[in-house]
Amino acid sequence: MKYHIVTFGCQMNVHDSEKIAGILEEKGYEVTDKKEDADIIVFNTCAIREGAEDRVFGNVGALKKMKRERPSLIIAVCGCMTQKQETAEKMKAKFPFVDIIMGTFNMTKLSEYIDRVREQKKRLLELYEEGDIDELLPYKRTSGDNAWVNIMQGCNNFCTYCIVPYVRGREKSREEESILKEIKELVATGQYKKITLLGQNVNSYGKDLKEPVSFAKLLSDICKIEGDFKIWFMTSHPKDLSDEVIDVIAKEDKILKDIHLPAQSGNNRILALMNRKYTREKYLEIIDKIRAKIPNCRITSDFIVGFPTETEEEFNDTYSLIEQVRYDSIFAFIYSPRIGTVASKMEGQIDEKVKHERVNKLLKLEKKIQKEDNKK
C-alpha cells in the first residue's frame, strides 16, 4: 500500500505532514510521489489566506475521476482549513468522494479513521475543539539535514486579521525536558545539522507551564547539548522578543544569526487596528537592539497591505519602514478576509486592484534593496 501527502501552508504544516507520514508508515504504507499510484491521498491544508483554500478545493476536485475509477482509494482532508466547521461542511457537501475530513486537533486519529472507513464503508467528518501535543507519535522526517521540533502550539494574540487562534487553539507549551530529549536524540543520529524550533509565537514559550520556562532559557539549554548542529526558530512576535533572547542569540555560536520578525505594517493606527500591541517606534527600537548586539544578523519580515481602511499615506509608512530597516528579505501579502476574524467584519475594505498595486510596490522595493546590498 502506498500514500501521497499534499501539504499547503507554513512550516508547522510541513512538520504535521511528517507526523501524518509517520502514522501511515507505521500502518504499513510506503510513500509515493505519484497520486496515481497511491492507495491513500492526504491533503494537509492551510487557512491563512483565501488563495490557499481555493488551491485546496481545486486540487481535491481534480481527484473526482480518479476516485470513480478506483473506489478503494481513500482521500483524506485535514488541517487548519477543515478545522473550521463551515469549511469542513462545505468540503463534505461539495466533494462526496472525500472519505475523511478532520481538523488540526484530531490528525493523530488518522489510523483509526482509515480502519473505520474501510470497515464501515462510510465517510466521516470529525473535528475536536482542542487537543494536546502528542509526544508519542512517530515522525517521518522529510526535510534533509533540517529537523523541525515543535516547542508549542496555538496562539493567544488574536491579531484581528488572523485565523490561527481559531484553528490552532490557545498556546500550549511542551515541557522543556521533552524538547531537550527529542533534540538530543536527533543530534545523536548525526543526520541533522539544523534544528528548527516551531511555534506560532516562540517568544511566548513556557509561560503556560506549571513551572514557567522562558524561551531564552530553552535556547540556552539547547546550546548545552553536545554535537555539531545549529539552531533556528520561527516565528517571533515583536511584542515578546525580550532582551534576554537577543542576548542569548548574540552569545551562543550554535544559534543562527537570523531573526524573522513580522512587522505587518509600519503605521501605528493600522498596527492598533491589527491588535499587534506594539508601535512602529517600539519595533524600530527592537531592530536597533538586534543590530547593536548582533551586527551580522540577518533580519526578515512579513507585511500585509490593504488592511481595512488603510490609506495611501499609511501604506507609505510601511514602505518607509522597509526602506529604513533594509531587510534581507520580506514576505508581502495582500490582506485576505478570513471569516470569523474581527477584521473581516470591518468597514472600509480596500479594492483588490489597490491591494495588488501596493504589494507589488513593496516587492519592487525589496528587489531594489537586495540589489544595492549585493553590490556592496
Side-chain angles (χ1 to χ4, degrees), residues 8-9 43 46 49-61 81:
F8 298 86
F43 291 91
C46 173
R49 278 174 290 278
E50 187 176 2
E53 293 196 6
D54 290 342
R55 285 195 297 277
V56 172
F57 278 108
N59 276 265
V60 173
M81 177 177 148

Side-chain angles (χ1 to χ4, degrees), residues 136-168:
L136 301 176
L137 283 173
Y139 285 101
K140 165 73 173 179
R141 297 189 183 272
T142 58
S143 299
D145 64 357
N146 172 72
W148 309 106
V149 175
N150 203 12
I151 65 170
M152 62 186 301
Q153 69 180 19
C155 184
N156 293 349
N157 289 312
F158 287 92
C159 298
T160 56
Y161 55 80
C162 188
I163 196 71
V164 167
Y166 305 97
V167 296
R168 287 281 183 178

Side-chain angles (χ1 to χ4, degrees), residues 4 90 93 139 142 147-148 183 194 313 345 355 364 369:
H4 181 84
K90 179 182 175 183
Y139 285 101
T142 58
W148 309 106
I183 294 173
K194 182 180 176 185
E313 184 180 356
K345 302 166 190 170
K355 288 195 279 191
K364 189 175 179 181
I369 292 170

Side-chain angles (χ1 to χ4, degrees), residues 145-147 183-184 186-195 222-231 253-256:
D145 64 357
N146 172 72
I183 294 173
K184 285 175 185 175
L186 288 167
V187 172
T189 67
Q191 289 180 256
Y192 305 104
K193 299 301 180 185
K194 182 180 176 185
I195 306 294
I222 293 171
C223 289
K224 293 173 186 172
I225 297 172
E226 292 185 10
D228 178 22
F229 66 98
K230 295 288 185 181
I231 304 165
D253 291 336
K254 281 182 176 173
I255 304 177
L256 292 175

Side-chain angles (χ1 to χ4, degrees), residues 20 23-24 27 29 40 42 74-79 82-83 98-130:
I20 293 167
I23 292 169
L24 292 172
K27 202 168 180 63
Y29 288 88
I40 179 168
V42 182
I74 293 176
I75 300 174
V77 185
C78 63
T82 45
Q83 181 61 38
V98 172
D99 302 286
I100 300 168
I101 300 172
M102 54 188 175
T104 55
F105 301 123
N106 56 324
M107 283 193 285
T108 58
K109 308 279 280 184
L110 178 58
S111 178
E112 177 189 319
Y113 294 158
I114 292 170
D115 291 340
R116 281 168 58 184
V117 166
R118 280 181 178 159
E119 292 164 10
Q120 300 172 14
K121 308 295 182 188
K122 290 182 181 178
R123 309 168 67 202
L124 67 87
L125 186 161
E126 196 163 293
L127 307 178
Y128 291 178
E129 290 186 6
E130 282 287 342

Side-chain angles (χ1 to χ4, degrees), residues 358-373:
R358 289 177 183 174
V359 80
N360 287 332
K361 283 182 184 177
L362 293 193
L363 295 173
K364 189 175 179 181
L365 173 62
E366 178 197 26
K367 287 182 181 177
K368 175 176 175 285
I369 292 170
Q370 287 179 341
K371 188 175 181 181
E372 291 169 355
D373 289 349

